Each structure stands twice: as structure tokens, then as C-alpha cells.
Amino acid sequence: MSLTAGIVGLPNVGKSTLFNAITKKNILAANYPFATIDPNVGVVTVPDKRLDVLNEMYIPDSLVPTTFEFTDIAGLVKGASTGEGLGNKFLSHIREVDAICEVVRCFEDENITHVEGGIDPIRDIEIINTELIISDLDIIENRILRIEKKAKTTKEKDVVAEYNLLVRIKEALNKNIPARFLEYTSDELAMIKAFNLITLKPFIYVANIKESEISFRENKYVEIVKEYAKKENAEVVILCAKVESELSELPDDEKALFLEELGINQSGLDKLINATYHLLGLATFFTAGEKEVRAWTFKRGMKAPECAGIIHSDFQRGFIKAEVMSYDDLIECGSEKIVKEKGKMRLEGKEYVMQDGDICYFRFNV
């Protein structure tokens, strides 16, 4: 599945440091705006303990986790929607991602300058959100100008429906209401898909804190971000980008000890990866055998033939049936053999909707 989450935020909030941790790539993380001019794309492994259990059970020749992409996008500043600081270029990069992780600075450090002169998470969030709204508004208004006359003089239902929908979105954007807060039918979503509206994309807020506050017990800025996100029904992931960058360099055993010393059982980075994975509407199915145990990413709601096609197009083209057992049934039974003996190995057809944790063997003929 080729889906991407974009990391956005004002300059010097910890975006590039976080991206370094996510991808273990050493991109430029400098203390000034626009340290990252072009978007950096990295593939991230999705942490999944089920894969480790399957590895112990099947002892395969190879173990392959599932992945998806994160894109680090250069820091936006006030006025980006009108071209300030190469802003239009950066906004176009945000249009290309499927979900947005907005990093918000929730720490004070006199050695790291803030582009707006001081720490104020809500101001920072609203600067970003305003620039995204203005950018979308420009696209909507241009499209309205192109079809308005035809919509008012024609009886073509599609044109009239599109015009009415665009006007509704425009009215919302003018009130600083992102497009994702409106309700749409499936037909309406299809109408505006080509516009790739930024404010229609799902959001996660990433509260970047100091190392000394890693226990997540007290941080006035984090609480402010949580209250703001609550109104949007958005998730907040709390982490320290600096610590996550250090953790990413450690082997697994040392990483576990470091987390224990910090008093937490899961890194903020793992939480962010999992939260973003689910935000994108993704889930995991497995293939398992002596040669390979592998996790595969699919979009929730996909049917068995489509999931087979993720492995190989021939699997989808010649799909016959899928032998399916759930991960939970396998763990409960203790082996694939007992799953079959208890009749919990199912034979599913073309209309079967794949579930997270399904372990599959696809039958096909081309």
C-alpha cells in the first residue's frame, strides 16, 4: 500500500529530529527556518508484536514486517499560502500526503530559537491551520469561478451538485472550519478527490516535550494542545524528539533498558507510528510458512481478491479462494494443525472483507 503521512510544523519545533528517528536517516536538522528544503521520504517499519510470535511459531527463513512512508516537509511560516518562505512549494508537498502529523513545540529552550519569538502551542497550531485553509480556499474559489456560470444556467445535475458542494466548503473555510469537519456522501467525496484538499486530510498532533518531562506527568503546553485537539476529535501523541532520535540508534535490548529507565513501556515513536497507521485506515494481514512470515498492509474494507493483489497482481486476477484463520485463533489453538482440526480454518470467497490479523493462503489460477 503506497500511503504516506506528512510531518509538518513551524521551523525549529523538532520535525527533522523526529524524522531522523523515524527513518534513522541523518538529514539536516539545523537551528534555522527551511533547513529542509525538499521533502524527505522515508519508509518506516510498523511495530507489531504478532509478527514476533509468528516468527517463533513458524521459524521461517525470513521475517518481513509491514511498512509505510513518512514525509518530512520543510517548516511552514506565516504567509506560506501567499508564497512566504517558498511556502507554495511546501504546501504542494503536503497535498501529496494522505495524513498529516503536525509537530507542536511544547518545550522551552533558550538555545533553540522560535520563529514567532516565544512558546505558544495554540498560536503555532492556528498559524499552520490558517495557512492550510487559505491554500484550500484558493483552489475552491478558482474552481467555483470556472463552473459558476454553467451551474446557474444548466440543468446538468453533476455540475450543479459540484457547485453547491464547493460553495458549502468555501463557506466553512471562510469561517476557519477545515474541510474535514463537514459531512460528505461517497459521491461528494469522489467529486472533490481531484482537488486533494489539505484540510480534508486526517490529522494527528505531535506534542514535542523536553527529556526531563518524558514521564508525561506535567506539562502545561501539552494540556493546552490536548484541549484544542479534543474539540477536533483529533489524537495527540506525546514524545521527546531528541530522546526518540537517541533511542533509534540503540539495539533492541538496550532500547528496552533505556525505556525502563525513563519509566515508560513504549516509545513515543512507536505510539506515533501505530496511531498514524490507524489514522490512515490501515490494517495488517499475514502470510506464514517455513520460507517466510510476512506482514502486509491493507486498507480497511478491502476484500480478499484486492488483498491478494497486494502480494501479486496475478493473485488478484486469478483469485479462486482464500484460506483464512485469525491470529487469535492460531494463538488459542497453539498450532496451524489444531486450527484446522477444530474447523477454524475458513475458506473465503471474493466478497470476504479482510480483517486485521487474518493469516491467509490464497488460491489462484491464471
Side-chain angles (χ1 to χ4, degrees), residues 27-300:
I27 63 168
L28 180 62
N31 182 25
Y32 55 87
F34 314 120
T36 315
I37 300 300
D38 293 314
N40 294 268
V41 179
V43 178
V44 63
T45 298
V46 180
D48 194 328
K49 292 181 179 179
R50 295 174 299 184
L51 199 60
D52 297 327
V53 174
L54 292 175
N55 187 44
E56 291 178 6
M57 188 173 287
Y58 285 89
I59 316 175
D61 294 336
S62 66
L63 181 70
V64 185
T66 189
T67 62
F68 68 93
E69 292 181 350
F70 269 96
T71 301
D72 180 37
I73 298 166
L76 289 167
V77 293
K78 191 182 292 183
S81 56
T82 57
E84 185 70 29
L86 302 179
N88 283 325
K89 182 179 179 183
F90 300 155
L91 286 165
S92 70
H93 292 149
I94 301 174
R95 289 197 186 284
E96 295 169 6
V97 304
D98 301 285
I100 297 173
C101 302
E102 184 173 335
V103 181
V104 185
R105 182 167 163 177
C106 292
F107 66 89
E108 295 179 358
D109 188 334
E110 60 184 22
N111 296 316
I112 302 177
T113 59
H114 192 291
V115 71
E116 289 296 319
I119 309 303
D120 185 342
I122 303 307
R123 176 206 58 210
D124 294 357
I125 288 172
E126 291 184 344
I127 286 174
I128 296 289
N129 289 354
T130 297
E131 296 305 322
L132 302 186
I133 284 172
I134 293 172
S135 181
D136 277 354
L137 193 55
D138 184 52
I139 286 176
I140 293 294
E141 287 178 336
N142 285 336
R143 179 59 179 170
I144 287 174
L145 284 173
R146 290 181 62 188
I147 68 169
E148 186 172 21
K149 185 176 180 180
K150 188 176 181 180
K152 290 182 176 179
T153 58
T154 186
K155 292 183 179 179
E156 291 182 33
K157 290 182 179 179
D158 289 348
V159 177
V160 174
E162 182 186 352
Y163 174 76
N164 290 336
L165 174 59
L166 294 177
V167 168
R168 183 157 64 94
I169 296 172
K170 177 185 173 181
E171 289 172 351
L173 294 174
N174 275 324
K175 295 175 184 175
N176 284 325
I177 299 172
R180 65 182 177 277
F181 293 162
L182 302 180
E183 293 184 2
Y184 306 92
T185 65
S186 57
D187 288 341
E188 287 174 334
L189 287 173
M191 277 182 208
I192 58 175
K193 184 178 180 181
F195 302 132
N196 225 353
L197 299 177
I198 301 174
T199 64
L200 191 60
K201 300 179 189 297
F203 252 71
I204 282 180
Y205 291 106
V206 182
N208 187 17
I209 62 173
K210 289 194 296 188
E211 185 174 355
S212 59
E213 296 169 334
I214 200 73
S215 62
F216 307 158
R217 286 178 189 141
E218 289 184 16
N219 183 307
K220 63 181 180 181
Y221 298 126
V222 170
E223 294 307 313
I224 291 170
V225 173
K226 281 183 177 179
E227 283 301 311
Y228 187 94
K230 194 175 183 181
K231 296 172 187 174
E232 296 188 352
N233 198 28
E235 188 169 353
V236 177
V237 174
I238 306 163
L239 54 75
C240 172
K242 185 180 176 213
V243 167
E244 297 301 329
S245 187
E246 293 170 1
L247 276 168
S248 70
E249 300 299 324
L250 299 176
D252 288 344
D253 54 345
E254 291 182 31
K255 179 179 174 181
L257 287 172
F258 193 4
L259 288 173
E260 189 177 333
E261 288 173 8
L262 292 171
I264 53 177
N265 55 20
Q266 185 183 28
S267 74
L269 181 53
D270 282 354
K271 288 180 182 177
L272 176 60
I273 293 170
N274 283 320
T276 307
Y277 192 70
H278 292 297
L279 184 72
L280 286 165
L282 303 177
T284 303
F285 73 89
F286 303 94
T287 51
E290 291 181 0
K291 289 186 177 181
E292 179 185 80
V293 167
R294 183 163 183 161
W296 302 88
T297 296
F298 70 99
K299 192 87 172 173
R300 289 183 183 274

